[in-house]
Structure formats: C-alpha cells, structure tokens
Amino acid sequence: MIPEQLAGKRIAITGSTGFVGTALVERLLRSAPGCDLVLLVRPSRRHSASERVRREIFKNNAFDRLKRELEAVGTETFDAMVARRVHAIGGDVSTDGLGLNTDDQAVFASCDIVIHSAAAVAFDSPLDSAIEINLLGPSRVAQTLQALGVRPHLVAVSTCYVAGNRRGSAPEQLVSAGPFDLGLDWRKEVAAGRRLRSDTETASRDPHRLRQFRVEAHKELGAAGAPALAGKTESLRERWVSDELVEAGRARAASVGWPDAYAFTKALGEQALTEVKGDVPVSIVRPSIIESALAEPFPGWIRGFRMAEPVIISYARGLLKQFPGVPEGTIDVIPVDLVVAAIIAVAAVGPEHAPPITQVASGGVNPMKYGLLVERVRDFFTAHPLYDPEGQPIVVPEWQFPARGKVQLQLKRAKAVAERTERVLQALPLRGKQATWAAKLEEYKHDINRAYEYVQLYGLYTECEAIYQVDHLLSVWDTLDAADQAAFNFDPRSVHWPTYVSEIHLPSVVQHSRAKITPGRNRNDRSDRLRRNVLSPDRHVAAFDLENTLISSNVVESYSWLATRRLNVPERIRYVLRTLAEAPGLSSMDRKDRGDFLRYFYRRYEGASVTQIDEDSKELLTQLIVTKSFPAGIRRVREHRALGHRTILITGALDFVVAGLKPLFDEIVAAEMTIRPDGTYSGELSKVPPTGETRAQVLAEYCVAEGLSIEQSIAYADSTSDLPLLEAVGFPVVVNPETRLAAVARNRGWLVEHWSKESGARRPLLPIGELLSDRERKKVFS
C-alpha cells in the first residue's frame, strides 16, 4: 500500500508554495503519515524559507481538513505535527547548485525521493526566465544530487503540452523520441536566451527609447516630481524589457511548433534532464490543464486562478462575448487531486516499477468537449448570474467560436477607441467624481487588454487537437489495491464532467473571484473599512494638502483677491480679463512643474507692502478661504486632532495666506518670500517650495524629529504632483482627485473622498476682493 511504501521515507519537494506543491504537501501529510517532508523554498527579501512556508503554505485552507482530523484524534496538534515532520530549506532552482548552504545540502542529500514541481507556470513568462526555471531547473536538481553523491528517486513534473501543436495521438514518450523531434539543441537555446536578455537590456537604454519612457511617465504622472518620474521611467523600461522577452518567447515557441514559451521550455527541459541525469533514477509526470479539486482536500479546492478561470469570469462579467476554439474539440482538463495522487503513486512504486513518463490527462479516456464546457458555463451563469456595480444581473451572451484572429482584431479596435477617449478626458480639467470617469475608462481599457491577453495566451489551448494517451497512468492504477485506489484516486475515467463543471468547479471559481453575486447596489464597505483604518487611534500624523483638498481655491485666486482689493471697477475688469487670458499658459506651466510655476507666479508679489498684506490676509481668511472650504475636510482635521493625531498642513500657498488656519494644525509648512529692507516683498521665495517630493521629505523629517512613524501616518492630497507624499505614508487618502490621480487611486485601492463646498456658495470665475471706498482704496501692488 502507498502509505506503507512511503513510511520512513524523507521526501523533498520543490515548488511547494505553488498550486500543485501545496496540494502535494497536504496530501502527503494527511494520507502518508509515516513520511517526512523537506520543502526547498526560495527565501524572499523579507522572509526566510521557513517563514514563507508558514505564511504561504500552512495558512492555506487546504489544511483545514487535516487540522480537524488531528483535533478529533487529540494526540498531536497540527503545529506540533508540522514541526516534527516538515523541514524547510532555502534554495533556488534557477541557481546552479540550487543555492544550498552546507547544512541544507546535508538535509537535501538525506532525502529518499525528490519531487520537482517548481516551474514558471505563466504562459507569458519572459523567455530567459522560463529557460532558467523550466528548462534548466530539472537538470540542476539532478546535477546537485550527483554532486552530493546521492541517487534518490527524482520525480519531475512536466506538462502534456510538451507534445506541441500536434493533432491526434500524443503518446507517453519523450518528444525527442517521436516524429515531432526537430533536432533542437537545448544548450544553444539556453545560450541564445541569455544573450537575448543582455541585448534587450542594452536596447532598452538607447537614448531615444529612454526619452520615450520619460515622456510616457510624464503623461501618466504629470508633475509628480523628479524621483517619482524617474521611478516610473525605470519601471516602464523594465516593463518594456519584460514585454520584449515575453514576445520573443512566444515567437520562438511558435516558430518550432509549441503554443508558448512554457510548453517549449518544458519540452527542452525534459530533453536536458534526460541527457544530464546520469545514474539518477528519473520519472516524469505530465499533467494536462490542472484545475480545481474533484474531492481532495475538499471539492473545488483551488489556489489562485489557473488557465480557465480568467476566461470564465471574463465571460460571466460580459467582457468576453466570444472566444476562439473548436466546439467539437477536446479541452483536456484534470483535477488537481488526481494529479497529486498520480505523482505520489509514481513516487511510491519506485523507479524500478514506475514508467519513465506518465501522462495525467483525460482526453484519451474520458474527453470533455469544448462545446460541452461552454454550454455548462453559459447555463450556470444564466441560472446564477453575476451582478454589475448597479446591482443588475449580467446577461451572458451566446458564445461564438470565431477564428482567433477575428477576436483579436475586435479587441484591438475596442482598445483603440478607449485610448482615444482617454486622451480626450485627460485633456479636460476634470476633478473629483467627474475624474472617476477616466478611472473607470482606465479599468475598461485594462479589461480589454486582459481579454486580448487571454485570447493570445489560451486560444491555442482551446484549439488544440492533441489527444494525450494515458496507458502508463492506467497501468500504475491497475497495480493498486482497492484501499489505495480509494485513498489515491487518479483515474480520469472517474470524473463525471457535467457534475464537476456545474457543481464543483464553477461555484469554486465564483467564490475565488470575489465577484458580485447578489442584486442591489454595492454598499461601499471597502471605503468604510479604509476610513476606519485612517481614523484609528493608532495613527500618528495626518498631513494635509490645501488646494482642492481642504478648500476649493488656489494661489491664483488668493493673489487675485489681494491684488484687486484696492482697485477701482475699471481696473478690476482689466485685471480679470488679463488673468483669464493668461489662465491656459499658467495651467500648462503648473502641470509641467509645480515648483517652477510657484516661483514664476509669486514674482507678482514684488513690491507688495508686508504690513498691508498682513492686514488684508485677515479678511482673505473669512472672505475667501472659509467660504471656499470643504466642511467635511475641516471636520476630518478636527477628527484627527480629537483622536490625538498630530496634524500638519503642507502647502505651496504663501505663509500669510494660510496663517489664519493655525488653530487647526500642530504645524504649517508653507512657501515663504524674502522681505526687503523697505518692508516690501521681493517676489522671491526664501527656500524650496513644499511641492512634489519635497512634501514627502518634509513629513519624513517631521516624523523623525517628533519620534513618530511615517508608516502609521495619513496623507490627504488631490494631484499626481502629490504622489511622493501619498506613497510615503502608510495610509494615503485621495481627495477630489484629478484625472490621473483618480486612475492611480483606483488601481492601488486607495481611499477616495469627495468633499465639496456648502451649497449656495458663490462661484465667480475669479475671486476679487471686496470693493472699498475711494478713501480706503490704496494700491498695494505696483
């Protein structure tokens, strides 16, 4: 029996944090209680291998059943059992020697069985990454075992799709042994892939291309400041490199008959492993498309979205109205628990009795037709529709089966329309709730891109006409006794596809998608939760921007109010017309660089009397600042103070404009001008204005000086120029956002507040000071 065959064995597993790996760990701990596990996990920057195992594996709900069973027996707790039977070691299959230290080498060398399930499973992995992990990973495991002088049974998990884009029977044999062999040299492919990474990195640093990245970054972030723009530019460069390598992988795979870089590198990985394994006994297990569990650890268990789920949910949401495929063709799906049971069985029977290659697939003995899958999906979401944000049921369309090229063309056209509309919206001075139109459009464009990627990635799989044979799998099945067959089911003939799709898989997909499944408008529970976090007593500092965050005003309006206070009517008219004519240029300068704009605009204060400005600023507070304030914003400042939070106003407005707000804040950091000996302002700033990245620096320095944590602080702002400040804190809040920031906030899941003035407030094109009598009028500006 399998449990007895594995009793006393130490089994190493790579890829244990993945879908199949997690299921393997759970099944071995629960169904083979006499074995111990060694989990080879790559440490991350923040977590050791042991911590990753604790956080990413054992917190998964796959282990709930085992925990209940142990609790019912009462002899050992789950944590105690894990501590006794599981050993985590740090390693990396993309590194020669697996990156093992001396102690971990000894642990790895003590294993009787090694199950290699680590892989870059994304179909759109960059070519060089897929080569290092999928192609070279299995060979590195075998070579490391040879170097350590041990010969455990190596069970390597591959994929049925190493057979490529063939039609008809795909037997359980090496690709290089069949008629599909193209004579490819895996070593040359490795060398070419590595050169490609180097060449692409060099090309990404071409001056012309770097300028393009810079322009694109500025379009997305506006005047966010040099560090933010530099970070975004570098991010765009890295994304370009990755996209180029992804496309190179697709092109290379297609040129030699594979659907993508994943299947291509897996095929070459089998070839390489066969060549370099030496006397290490190897068994290869090839699953087809792995989906949610049929029964173990519970029906529908799944970790993350696999291949079919994104397509299914996109269809249910009305995003995909048609998808390429052959309705009478076979979609070869296999539940994850059948795959895991087959791997365990191959490992248990040992290299002497296990076939060299075992395919775990359904198409050869229990095929599910693509048309049947589509029919079941449509029927399910007709009976159990998803709901849009307005609470209306989404009616799923009649699925069509067009050619892949036709679907791609339709999606390209939709994307082009969305991009043109986006450019128009970004050019408009939208703010607050109006700016959410652009954010929703950004999300729609993202959905189109995803749909296009699904067609590009998965279209070939739905059109695949290969039939994967499972003679070796069934031969192993026939050797099992009744108890093993009951405990370790891997017979594809046991799956009743209509029941599996409608009653197991689709309900699980919907649950994991977190899609809206009830009618009625969304209650904004998420915003409420974020708001509670912001207003927690645990927070330290609340930092506020001023313009369009706490008041509906700006530096042009405050200057206009002061400048016109002592002008007569004709002079006021001329001033208003002149300023309105300047508005487009001023707006353009502000969008390019907020600091440069402030320096330029504040020169208008040159020659202004300090005494007179101070006097008029008191009236400015009551007649402009207060009347243009957002009551909800002022209440929020007071809420923070009541909770014991420090409050700080960081604004590019001049200090005398905001002096009247001091009772609300513990600290005000504003722009300041130098004063001439004659008691007038010079029009020149005395220090760098607090804009862009300077705001983040100001807040960071304040927190350090006061012994407070910036990670426990909140920032309120409205513009992409404030991104450095928003990104610096632990709790960013976007208020009445401009178009670009609304999209950023939506993508990052930030709290968005829409605050407004009291209804009935005056809304002049340009605020002007109260008209004084001739006796009172005295020009303050030259």
Side-chain angles (χ1 to χ4, degrees):
M1 294 179 65
I2 289 176
E4 285 73 16
Q5 289 170 313
L6 295 178
K9 298 290 179 66
R10 175 172 272 194
I11 304 172
I13 302 175
T14 70
S16 57
T17 59
F19 179 38
V20 172
T22 298
L24 263 171
V25 172
E26 190 278 336
R27 197 69 171 278
L28 286 167
L29 290 178
R30 179 167 53 84
S31 301
C35 69
D36 292 342
L37 305 183
V38 174
L39 307 183
L40 188 149
V41 176
R42 183 181 70 249
S44 67
R45 291 181 180 179
R46 299 180 59 186
H47 302 298
S48 66
S50 297
E51 182 63 12
R52 283 196 64 197
V53 166
R54 186 185 70 83
R55 297 167 65 95
E56 299 177 35
I57 299 179
F58 291 124
K59 285 190 174 183
N60 190 279
N61 64 349
F63 296 91
D64 291 350
R65 175 177 173 179
L66 177 55
K67 290 175 182 178
R68 290 194 301 270
E69 291 178 359
L70 288 171
E71 185 178 353
V73 174
T75 57
E76 188 177 34
T77 67
F78 177 79
D79 290 342
M81 183 273 297
V82 168
R84 176 173 58 84
R85 296 182 59 193
V86 179
H87 190 108
I89 59 175
D92 185 353
V93 298
S94 66
T95 302
D96 290 342
L98 305 184
L100 298 172
N101 62 34
T102 303
D103 291 340
D104 289 344
Q105 285 178 347
V107 174
F108 193 62
S110 69
C111 294
D112 305 286
I113 299 168
V114 176
I115 300 175
H116 175 59
S117 69
V121 296
F123 296 148
D124 57 348
S125 293
L127 178 58
D128 66 316
S129 174
I131 284 174
E132 295 297 333
I133 299 173
N134 297 339
L135 197 163
L136 293 175
S139 298
R140 287 194 178 103
V141 173
Q143 290 170 325
T144 300
L145 294 172
Q146 290 172 341
L148 294 173
V150 294
R151 302 295 184 267
H153 183 196
L154 173 57
V155 181
V157 181
S158 184
T159 174
C160 284
Y161 290 93
V162 297
N165 297 329
R166 72 169 72 195
R167 294 178 178 177
S169 178
E172 295 162 295
Q173 63 183 28
L174 285 172
V175 174
S176 57
F180 200 68
D181 179 28
L182 300 177
L184 297 177
D185 186 332
W186 63 269
R187 291 180 176 84
K188 290 181 179 179
E189 296 297 330
V190 170
R194 288 172 172 172
R195 280 198 309 273
L196 181 64
R197 161 65 74 170
S198 176
D199 293 345
T200 307
E201 287 283 355
T202 300
S204 73
R205 290 168 170 82
D206 175 78
H208 174 69
R209 190 162 282 119
L210 289 173
R211 282 193 293 271
Q212 288 180 322
F213 297 147
R214 181 77 175 177
V215 169
E216 189 176 344
H218 195 275
K219 284 181 180 178
E220 186 170 338
L221 298 184
L229 288 172
K232 184 63 181 179
T233 300
E234 179 62 10
S235 173
L236 291 171
R237 187 196 66 79
E238 292 173 348
R239 186 196 306 168
W240 182 86
V241 170
S242 178
D243 290 346
E244 289 292 301
L245 292 170
V246 167
E247 186 55 39
R250 287 174 183 160
R252 181 56 180 150
S255 73
V256 287
W258 275 276
D260 49 43
Y262 170 72
F264 171 59
T265 52
K266 276 289 193 178
L268 293 180
E270 287 189 12
Q271 183 186 111
L273 176 60
T274 303
E275 286 188 25
V276 308
K277 68 183 179 64
D279 57 352
V280 174
V282 171
S283 301
I284 295 173
V285 177
R286 293 176 179 165
S288 58
I289 300 171
I290 308 174
E291 291 294 350
S292 65
L294 176 68
E296 305 278 350
F298 57 83
W301 178 81
I302 194 169
R303 177 168 189 168
F305 266 15
R306 315 318 304 164
M307 190 189 99
E309 288 75 56
V311 177
I312 290 171
I313 289 299
S314 294
Y315 170 72
R317 285 174 168 158
L319 174 61
L320 275 180
K321 294 178 173 57
Q322 50 189 359
F323 199 81
V326 179
E328 64 274 19
T330 297
I331 181 84
D332 203 310
V333 170
I334 194 77
V336 65
D337 47 340
L338 271 66
V339 174
V340 165
I343 293 171
I344 293 174
V346 167
V349 299
E352 301 84 6
H353 304 290
I357 297 176
T358 303
Q359 292 184 164
V360 191
S362 59
V365 292
N366 183 21
M368 178 168 64
K369 299 301 181 181
Y370 186 45
L372 169 68
L373 173 63
V374 169
E375 179 185 337
R376 288 286 168 174
V377 171
R378 184 181 62 246
D379 291 347
F380 179 87
F381 287 108
T382 298
H384 311 284
L386 302 186
Y387 291 82
D388 64 22
E390 300 300 317
Q392 298 301 311
I394 299 171
V395 178
V396 291
E398 188 74 23
W399 194 276
Q400 303 298 317
F401 302 94
R404 193 155 28 98
K406 181 180 179 181
V407 180
Q408 289 175 326
L409 181 60
Q410 290 175 344
L411 292 170
K412 280 184 177 179
R413 288 172 178 168
K415 181 181 177 181
V417 171
E419 287 176 342
R420 286 196 295 270
T421 307
E422 183 181 43
R423 285 195 293 269
V424 171
L425 288 177
Q426 286 186 345
L428 297 175
L430 302 179
R431 183 171 288 280
K433 291 184 178 180
Q434 293 175 327
T436 59
W437 300 341
K440 290 179 180 178
L441 181 64
E442 175 73 19
E443 185 173 341
Y444 172 68
K445 192 176 73 170
H446 178 66
D447 287 343
I448 293 174
N449 286 334
R450 279 192 303 171
Y452 185 83
E453 289 172 2
Y454 297 157
V455 172
Q456 195 172 25
L457 290 175
Y458 306 140
L460 281 170
Y461 287 86
T462 59
E463 294 173 341
C464 179
E465 297 184 71
I467 303 299
Y468 304 110
Q469 303 304 320
V470 290
D471 297 336
H472 293 170
L473 178 77
L474 295 181
S475 68
V476 175
W477 175 255
D478 290 339
T479 65
L480 303 185
D481 60 23
D484 277 347
Q485 288 186 347
F488 297 92
N489 174 34
F490 54 83
D491 185 354
R493 297 166 298 189
S494 66
V495 183
H496 182 250
W497 291 118
T499 301
Y500 172 78
V501 172
S502 300
E503 299 180 18
I504 297 175
H505 186 62
L506 291 178
S508 175
V509 169
V510 171
Q511 178 184 355
H512 283 81
S513 73
R514 298 181 180 179
K516 182 173 171 55
I517 58 175
T518 55
R521 282 176 173 264
N522 279 335
R523 295 187 311 163
N524 208 351
D525 294 337
R526 186 173 176 282
S527 292
D528 292 341
R529 186 180 70 253
L530 290 173
R531 200 171 287 117
R532 286 194 297 271
N533 286 336
V534 163
L535 293 172
S536 166
D538 297 333
R539 306 298 159 250
H540 292 183
V541 180
F544 290 84
D545 177 32
L546 179 66
E547 298 172 3
N548 295 307
T549 301
L550 292 177
I551 64 170
S552 176
S553 185
N554 53 53
V555 299
V556 175
E557 293 185 352
S558 58
Y559 171 83
S560 297
W561 192 93
L562 292 168
T564 59
R565 181 162 170 74
R566 299 174 188 282
L567 298 181
N568 59 32
V569 173
E571 289 172 326
R572 289 181 175 214
I573 293 173
R574 286 194 295 271
Y575 172 84
V576 170
L577 293 175
R578 184 172 67 247
T579 304
L580 291 176
E582 286 184 285
L586 294 174
S587 177
S588 176
M589 184 182 296
D590 190 16
R591 286 196 300 268
K592 289 177 181 176
D593 191 292
R594 178 70 171 172
D596 289 347
F597 163 73
L598 292 179
R599 289 187 183 92
Y600 169 80
F601 190 80
Y602 286 159
R603 292 194 187 103
R604 301 175 185 220
Y605 281 94
E606 183 180 0
S609 167
V610 174
T611 303
Q612 195 64 65
I613 286 287
D614 287 345
E615 180 183 332
D616 287 347
S617 293
K618 297 172 184 176
E619 295 294 322
L620 175 72
L621 175 67
T622 57
Q623 294 193 26
L624 180 68
I625 303 297
V626 173
T627 60
K628 288 226 165 189
S629 66
F630 302 138
I634 303 302
R635 284 196 298 271
R636 181 62 57 84
V637 178
R638 289 173 174 155
E639 282 182 277
H640 283 296
R641 290 179 68 86
L643 289 166
H645 304 161
R646 300 284 185 89
T647 55
I648 177 172
L649 178 67
I650 308 175
T651 175
L654 289 162
D655 53 350
F656 53 76
V657 172
V658 297
L661 297 175
K662 285 182 178 179
L664 285 173
F665 297 96
D666 296 293
E667 186 86 14
I668 292 181
V669 179
E672 299 176 11
M673 281 190 296
T674 57
I675 301 173
R676 292 171 173 169
D678 64 355
T680 63
Y681 283 111
S682 66
E684 297 176 355
L685 295 178
S686 61
K687 57 185 178 182
V688 176
T691 62
E693 64 273 18
T694 306
R695 295 188 178 192
Q697 184 179 354
V698 165
L699 181 59
E701 291 174 351
Y702 178 80
C703 288
V704 170
E706 299 295 323
L708 303 170
S709 169
I710 196 168
E711 290 80 12
Q712 287 295 328
S713 298
I714 313 108
Y716 293 81
D718 70 294
S719 168
T720 51
S721 65
D722 300 310
L723 269 176
L725 175 63
L726 293 167
E727 291 173 335
V729 299
F731 301 88
V733 182
V734 173
V735 180
N736 302 335
E738 63 179 17
T739 303
R740 291 189 185 99
L741 187 58
V744 171
R746 192 179 184 94
N747 289 335
R748 300 190 185 183
W750 290 349
L751 176 62
V752 177
E753 300 283 17
H754 298 290
W755 295 338
S756 60
K757 297 185 297 182
E758 288 286 2
S759 58
R762 293 172 59 239
R763 298 176 183 270
L765 283 175
L766 193 67
I768 56 177
E770 181 183 356
L771 188 63
L772 304 179
S773 66
D774 291 339
R775 180 178 297 178
E776 295 173 308
R777 190 178 302 117
K778 175 184 178 183
K779 289 188 179 179
V780 67
F781 296 101
S782 58

